[in-house]
């Protein structure tokens, strides 16, 4: 392993230092590696090393040489090097604190790259009493496509369990309420969609070349992930004291009426399908009084729960 | 640690040390988030790196005097390698999330995030973290800053109704978009974690905290204890969202897109609610007591009862 690490560093240096592309023979001479007696196995080792470097982000380019049939390799310095950022010592401290507060999972090395040539941090009195976890590793599978603007295809499972193939232009990744979304233009549906990253099955594959699309100037990622606006309805609920808090936190307010000794609260802006689960989860502390259509849907949902558990709505008496 | 990860670190270590001649092993290790031995090993490799093939060699010079490091003759690697798209995206999202959380507590972070976004070419419309800003946050932040006790009304997952608590606040955790307060709960005489979206009526009391925060606090999410009851649910494809709300031990996929999931819980009452919410898409396979609870709740709520 140690030999491999040294080989990869030396290969990087050799490819960076050259002005003209190096042939495989040049590379052997410069680095002292890949000189196996069996030419083919030396060549294969070089190919693997080159692929490893590319995975690290070292931009190894291959060029056809004007003379001979061989190919040449090199790394263009300006594509390799990260330009200096003009950060103040306070900003350096702030970035270090931010990465520290998140535990630094998978971001420590990237930060060190950024700060390699930055000023030393300013002293900080107290770290803020906050810890943040965002699990950004979820974005790795789509990161490259988003940054290089390359189309993607993947298998996607919708919220109701249907599987389908999607082909998209990936515009943005967004985290909202702890879930990661890919905001993208769906080719087949010819519309903007938000895909939950944890519902993408397997690894997304890129399609075609980078820079294949432009992100619309008026893209609003926040509204893309909050879903289509729904025409909310008003629902009247008879509410037990135990559930009152939950209903009030959804904006429910007392109508001044009582039914069977329970106060009636009115909640506006509910979606009769999407919020059905919320109403079911509050049962039996909450009973829907109106509209009847919603009360029926809740009753049907409860019946379905009883059916899968082999139970009747009313306990049989023996 | 694979050889390629070592290489990624070494390619950054060289410019970092070129910029800081005489840095100590300890501070270098700290900056890279690794043990000093790892840095020592890297330096051992780098001593053999450079351009060995050119007339007797043109290698880097690594000098270690005591615990101070000097790297020279390594100008080929004077600047760091660009972060990969995945690294850049993770970093931007991470620092952005913290900037959202801290608000104005760390103003330099806002301008730093803008500069980082520009340097790595990831504007806000490409990657963003949309944090909910809980109403109660400001008041609790004030209490944290001033070391004052808070009173709040709180309904835990297992509670029937909100209970008033008095808490010495220790720290905020923002875990995957959810805000938690950790602190000392005077009612139970122990550390407790409170989800801010389940807290209401927060009041900062005119009392200083009496229980100082310990040096380190565990993360706030529920970690199943070995003696918590095990639950088995059968889910249809349309109820797979339940799985996303839990920490699941085992998933057996069904051909029709459904699944059999196994997990442990300390709040069976909350699991019963999830099963009701699935409207028939979830069946409790075990334990029987939970199955009976679900049936009892559904019967009590059904209009024919």
């Amino acid at each position: 392993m140690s030999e491999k690490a040294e080989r990869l560093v030396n290969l990087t240096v050799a490819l960076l230092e050259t002005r003209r592309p190096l042939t495989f023979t040049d590379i052997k001479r410069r680095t002292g590696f890949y000189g196996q007696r069996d030419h083919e196995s030396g060549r294969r080792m070089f190919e693997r090393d080159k692929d490893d470097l590319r995975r690290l982000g070292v931009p190894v380019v291959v060029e056809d040489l004007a003379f001979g049939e061989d190919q040449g390799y090199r790394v263009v310095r300006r594509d390799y090097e990260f330009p200096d950022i003009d950060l103040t010592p306070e900003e350096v401290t702030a970035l270090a604190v931010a990465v520290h507060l998140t535990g630094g999972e998978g971001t420590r090395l990237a930060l060190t790259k950024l700060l390699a040539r930055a000023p030393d941090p300013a002293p900080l009195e107290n770290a803020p009493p906050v810890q943040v976890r965002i699990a950004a590793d979820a974005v790795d599978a789509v990161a490259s496509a988003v940054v290089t603007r390359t189309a993607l295809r993947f298998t996607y499972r919708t919220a109701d369990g249907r599987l389908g193939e999607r082909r998209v232009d990936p515009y943005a990744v967004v985290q909202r309420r702890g879930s990661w979304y890919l905001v993208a233009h769906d080719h087949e549906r010819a519309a903007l969609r938000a895909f939950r990253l944890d519902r993408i099955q397997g690894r997304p594959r890129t399609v075609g070349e980078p820079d294949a699309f432009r992100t619309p100037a008026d893209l609003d990622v926040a509204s893309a992930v909050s879903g289509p606006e729904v025409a909310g309805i008003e629902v009247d609920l008879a509410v037990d004291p135990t559930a009152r808090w939950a209903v009030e936190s959804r904006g429910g307010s007392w109508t001044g009426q009582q039914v069977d000794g329970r106060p009636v609260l009115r909640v506006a802006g509910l979606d009769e399908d999407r919020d059905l689960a919320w109403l079911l989860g509050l049962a039996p502390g909450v009973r829907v009084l109106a509209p009847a259509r919603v009360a029926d849907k809740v009753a049907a949902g409860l019946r379905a729960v009883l059916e899968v558990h082999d139970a009747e709505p009313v306990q049989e008496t023996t | 640690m694979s050889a390629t990860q070592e290489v990624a670190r070494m390619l950054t270590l060289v410019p970092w040390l070129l910029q800081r001649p005489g840095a100590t092993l300890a501070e270098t290790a700290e900056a890279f988030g690794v043990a000093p031995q790892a840095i020592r090993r890297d330096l051992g490799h780098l001593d053999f790196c450079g351009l060995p093939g050119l007339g007797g060699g043109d290698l880097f010079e690594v000098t270690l005097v005591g615990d101070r490091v000097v790297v020279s003759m390594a100008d080929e690697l004077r600047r760091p390698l660009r972060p990969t798209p995945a690294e850049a995206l993770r970093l931007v999202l991470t620092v952005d999330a913290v900037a959202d959380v801290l608000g104005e507590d760390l103003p330099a972070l806002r301008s730093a995030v803008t500069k980082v976004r520009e340097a790595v070419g990831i504007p806000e419309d490409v990657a963003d973290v949309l944090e909910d800003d809980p109403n109660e946050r400001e008041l609790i932040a004030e209490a944290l800053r001033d070391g004052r006790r808070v009173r709040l009304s709180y309904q835990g997952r297992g509670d029937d109704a909100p209970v008033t608590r008095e808490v010495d606040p220790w720290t905020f955790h923002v875990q995957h978009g959810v805000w938690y307060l950790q602190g000392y709960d005077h009612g139970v005489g122990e550390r407790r974690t409170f989800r801010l979206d389940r807290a209401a009526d927060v009041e900062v009391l005119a009392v200083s905290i009496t229980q100082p925060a310990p040096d380190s606090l565990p993360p706030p999410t529920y970690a199943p204890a070995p003696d918590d009851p095990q639950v088995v649910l059968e889910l249809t494809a349309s109820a797979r969202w339940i799985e996303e709300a839990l920490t699941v031990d085992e998933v057996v996929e069904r051909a029709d897109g459904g699944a059999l999931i196994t997990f442990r819980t300390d709040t069976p009452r909350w699991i019963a609610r999830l099963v009701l919410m699935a409207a028939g898409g979830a069946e409790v396979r075990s334990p029987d007591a939970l199955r009976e609870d679900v049936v009892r709740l559904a019967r009590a709520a059904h209009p024919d009862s």
Side-chain angles (χ1 to χ4, degrees):
Chain A
M1 181 182 287
S2 57
E3 190 194 349
K4 179 170 181 183
E6 287 165 21
R7 206 169 64 227
L8 290 176
V9 172
N10 286 4
L11 180 58
T12 306
V13 171
L15 294 174
L16 259 177
E17 272 312 279
T18 184
R19 291 190 180 207
R20 57 174 186 85
L22 299 178
T23 63
F24 178 56
T25 311
D26 295 334
I27 289 169
K28 280 200 287 192
R29 204 181 58 242
R30 292 261 178 136
T31 64
F33 296 122
Y34 315 114
Q36 279 86 338
R37 197 170 294 171
D38 170 10
H39 175 81
E40 270 314 302
S41 69
R43 180 88 206 188
R44 278 197 302 274
M45 182 190 250
F46 166 70
E47 291 294 331
R48 278 195 304 272
D49 285 357
K50 184 191 63 167
D51 292 344
D52 280 343
L53 284 185
R54 282 187 173 160
R55 264 191 289 278
L56 291 180
V58 178
V60 181
V61 289
V62 185
E63 291 166 49
D64 285 321
L65 298 180
F67 302 101
E69 279 147 49
D70 214 349
Q71 286 181 313
Y73 304 87
R74 66 175 173 144
V75 172
V76 179
R77 187 168 278 281
R78 68 163 188 281
D79 295 335
Y80 171 97
E81 288 183 336
F82 186 65
D84 290 346
I85 324 181
D86 179 25
L87 292 167
T88 66
E90 288 73 25
E91 288 168 337
V92 171
T93 307
L95 288 171
V97 166
V99 166
H100 176 74
L101 293 178
T102 59
E105 308 146 28
T107 50
R108 196 66 171 268
L109 184 64
L111 179 73
T112 315
K113 283 182 179 179
L114 250 72
L115 301 184
R117 290 164 57 85
D120 284 334
L124 182 74
E125 300 270 304
N126 295 305
V130 179
Q131 288 183 27
V132 183
R133 291 284 175 281
I134 77 161
D137 48 339
V139 305
D140 284 3
V142 297
S144 191
V146 169
V147 172
T148 61
R149 291 180 299 280
T150 312
L152 278 177
R153 68 192 164 91
F154 51 80
T155 306
Y156 189 71
R157 178 172 57 78
T158 58
D160 56 5
R162 281 169 297 135
L163 289 177
E165 285 297 314
R166 305 299 177 101
R167 232 180 114 137
V168 305
D169 291 344
Y171 292 151
V173 288
V174 181
Q175 188 186 57
R176 182 164 178 273
R177 300 220 176 107
S179 297
W180 286 104
Y181 297 87
L182 177 68
V183 175
H185 176 80
D186 186 321
H187 287 206
E188 214 146 299
R189 288 154 190 81
L192 192 68
R193 288 280 190 276
F195 300 96
R196 268 181 72 138
L197 288 183
D198 57 358
R199 294 195 186 133
I200 291 178
Q201 312 287 298
R203 216 180 156 77
R205 279 146 300 172
T206 55
V207 186
E209 297 297 313
D211 283 317
F213 55 87
R214 263 176 201 292
T215 305
D218 59 349
L219 179 68
D220 179 354
V221 290
S223 69
V225 293
S226 60
E229 287 299 312
V230 289
I233 55 168
E234 277 186 358
V235 178
D236 285 353
L237 307 168
V239 179
D240 268 356
T242 56
R244 182 158 187 161
W245 181 81
V247 175
E248 285 177 345
S249 72
R250 259 315 266 271
S253 58
W254 191 39
T255 56
Q257 293 166 311
Q258 300 242 345
V259 168
D260 300 335
R262 300 202 285 185
V264 177
L265 274 71
R266 181 166 296 161
V267 190
L270 290 191
D271 179 80
E272 64 178 86
D273 293 312
R274 282 203 290 179
D275 291 317
L276 197 58
W278 178 69
L279 291 168
L280 282 166
L282 292 174
V286 166
R287 177 165 297 193
V288 180
L289 302 171
R293 193 173 65 247
V294 176
D296 289 348
K297 282 186 180 176
V298 170
L302 292 167
R303 244 186 334 269
V305 170
L306 289 167
E307 264 164 36
V308 300
H309 291 90
D310 309 314
E312 299 292 326
V314 181
Q315 188 144 22
E316 290 151 59
T317 44
T318 49
Chain B
M1 172 74 41
S2 76
T4 48
Q5 283 170 291
E6 280 179 34
V7 172
R9 191 171 60 225
M10 284 154 67
L11 292 178
T12 311
L13 187 57
V14 172
W16 197 91
L17 287 169
L18 283 174
Q19 184 75 15
R20 299 166 179 81
T24 65
L25 270 182
E27 65 183 314
T28 311
E30 163 78 28
F32 283 80
V34 295
Q37 297 93 295
I39 299 294
R40 203 182 270 277
R41 221 169 28 241
D42 290 347
L43 294 173
H45 293 322
L46 285 171
D47 211 15
F48 289 96
C49 290
L51 283 174
L54 284 182
D58 187 3
L59 295 177
F60 302 160
E61 255 183 55
V62 179
T63 320
L64 193 60
V65 180
D67 68 340
R68 294 194 174 271
V69 188
V70 177
V71 169
S72 54
M73 308 288 288
D75 214 36
E76 294 91 342
L77 298 181
R78 61 188 164 268
R79 283 171 190 273
L81 171 60
R82 282 172 193 271
T84 62
E87 280 179 327
L89 207 53
R90 276 192 196 203
L91 181 67
V92 164
L93 289 166
T94 300
V95 294
D96 191 56
V98 176
D100 278 0
V101 165
L102 291 182
E104 291 313 309
D105 289 346
L106 198 56
L109 188 56
R110 288 246 174 255
S111 56
V113 170
T114 308
K115 289 180 184 176
V116 169
R117 279 185 178 279
E118 202 179 295
V120 298
I122 298 180
E124 223 165 70
D125 61 358
V126 164
D128 207 358
V129 176
L130 305 168
E131 288 291 354
D132 285 340
D133 195 5
N135 298 332
E136 317 297 349
R137 187 190 96 102
E138 280 296 317
L139 280 173
I140 295 176
E142 180 194 319
L144 266 171
R145 217 169 21 235
D146 302 346
R148 304 253 295 275
R149 189 173 298 175
V150 291
R151 182 184 292 142
L152 49 89
S153 165
Y154 188 76
Q155 184 166 22
R157 282 186 310 173
D159 294 339
D160 267 335
V163 179
T164 299
R165 323 276 188 119
E166 287 196 9
V167 180
D168 284 357
W170 287 343
T171 184
F172 274 137
H173 290 257
V174 185
Q175 185 120 341
H176 316 317
V178 179
W179 284 76
Y180 301 86
L181 166 70
Q182 277 201 56
Y184 182 88
D185 182 333
H186 284 275
V188 296
E190 271 184 346
R191 175 181 67 84
R192 281 287 185 272
T193 301
F194 305 91
R195 265 183 77 134
L196 288 206
D197 58 358
R198 293 172 169 276
D201 307 326
V202 174
E203 226 183 302
V204 182
L205 303 178
V207 182
S208 295
I209 64 167
T210 54
Q211 300 287 330
D215 286 340
S216 72
L217 287 166
T221 42
Y222 162 67
D227 52 348
D228 284 342
Q230 190 177 65
V231 177
V232 181
L233 298 184
E234 169 111 45
L235 305 179
T236 63
S238 65
R240 292 291 289 268
W241 58 265
I242 287 185
E243 201 178 316
E244 292 160 8
L246 300 165
T247 306
V248 176
D249 292 327
E250 195 192 349
V251 180
V252 180
E253 296 285 340
R254 298 284 196 229
D256 61 1
L260 194 69
I261 64 168
T262 305
F263 57 94
R264 280 167 295 156
T265 183
D266 62 344
T267 46
R269 184 195 299 261
W270 179 60
I271 305 301
R273 300 264 171 219
L274 290 179
V275 172
L276 288 180
M277 290 170 81
E283 181 195 350
V284 181
R285 300 288 288 270
S286 79
D288 284 342
L290 180 60
R291 199 180 162 93
E292 284 156 21
D293 269 352
V294 167
V295 169
R296 187 179 49 75
L297 288 169
R299 274 199 183 122
H302 196 274
D304 292 351
S305 67

